[in-house]
Amino acid sequence: MTKTEMLKRKNIVIITGGPGFGKSSLIESLSKRNFRVGGEAAREIIAEQCRFNGDILPWKNSKAFQQEVLMQRIKFWESVGVDEMAFADRGIPDQMAFAQFRGFDPSFLLRSKASAYQYYPDVFICPPWREIYRHDSVRKESFEEACQLHQIICRVYSDLGYQLIDLPLTSIAKRIEFILRKSKRP
């Protein structure tokens, strides 16, 4: 990647926060409204690997799993045109936060990709919301652990210079309206 490419920012609006706080529901709703979206790469990889009894899982081969998540996020970033607007369920900085949460220092590769692949400057945060939090086959963190991870995610994005915007604890429709208004989208 050239120095010019490293400084390029794309209009990919990140929706993030701790696990189970409403990100995927928002992305699904945006998709139904015909916006370009990138799903949660980690969940998609886990579902696919479980279907085929694969080994690229965080509890089997963490390094290969992290590498695959990174490649999927880069692939989505690169697929979005320079003048196009898109929304994503998490971004590369989330991987740095997950590494820290698991007790690892993010790799040089991960840190360099988080710097090189820039997103829309405002990042929408789904704050902790106990009433909607649910465990499932992929989301194994307790609500308390999800809150700890949430704090790390916010710190990582903030440290990378993104402006964090907390979403209100309200309906999906009202959250979408809030995001579209704040990201200046019709």
Side-chain angles (χ1 to χ4, degrees):
M1 183 172 279
T2 68
K3 190 171 186 169
T4 304
E5 290 172 321
M6 289 177 60
L7 300 175
K8 193 180 293 183
R9 181 181 297 273
K10 289 204 178 172
N11 290 319
I12 301 171
V13 176
I14 298 296
I15 300 173
T16 191
F21 298 159
K23 299 171 303 303
S24 297
S25 297
L26 294 172
I27 290 294
E28 184 178 314
S29 180
L30 286 162
S31 176
K32 287 178 182 175
R33 293 183 183 206
N34 295 317
F35 285 99
R36 176 95 185 268
V37 299
E40 215 308 29
R43 279 186 84 81
E44 293 167 3
I45 293 165
I46 290 170
E48 180 181 317
Q49 291 294 308
C50 287
R51 252 192 325 272
F52 300 108
N53 200 25
D55 291 333
I56 304 176
L57 294 162
W59 51 87
K60 283 188 177 180
N61 188 340
S62 181
K63 186 174 182 176
F65 175 76
Q66 288 300 322
Q67 188 170 13
E68 183 63 25
V69 171
L70 178 61
M71 292 304 111
Q72 290 298 320
R73 290 198 172 125
I74 289 171
K75 184 178 174 181
F76 178 72
W77 190 94
E78 290 176 342
S79 76
V80 175
V82 175
D83 296 324
E84 188 178 5
M85 180 66 120
F87 298 87
D89 187 337
R90 301 197 182 282
I92 295 170
D94 285 86
Q95 282 186 260
M96 293 175 57
F98 273 88
Q100 290 175 18
F101 179 72
R102 302 269 185 250
F104 302 107
D105 284 329
S107 68
F108 173 78
L109 174 67
L110 186 53
R111 289 192 316 273
S112 67
K113 296 300 183 187
S115 294
Y117 290 86
Q118 294 287 305
Y119 300 96
Y120 189 80
D122 296 335
V123 172
F124 292 91
I125 305 293
C126 292
W129 193 357
R130 188 178 290 276
E131 289 75 18
I132 68 168
Y133 180 80
R134 300 286 180 271
H135 278 279
D136 63 25
S137 61
V138 175
R139 183 181 307 119
K140 301 191 184 281
E141 297 89 1
S142 68
F143 180 76
E144 291 72 22
E145 289 170 326
C147 289
Q148 291 170 358
L149 180 52
H150 176 82
Q151 294 303 317
I152 297 168
I153 290 167
C154 290
R155 185 177 64 243
V156 166
Y157 275 98
S158 182
D159 288 351
L160 289 170
Y162 291 95
Q163 176 67 41
L164 307 182
I165 300 174
D166 280 337
L167 292 172
L169 303 180
T170 188
S171 69
I172 292 172
K174 288 182 180 178
R175 282 179 148 194
I176 295 294
E177 289 172 23
F178 181 87
I179 291 167
L180 295 176
R181 187 173 60 252
K182 294 286 188 181
S183 63
K184 298 168 183 62
R185 302 306 302 165

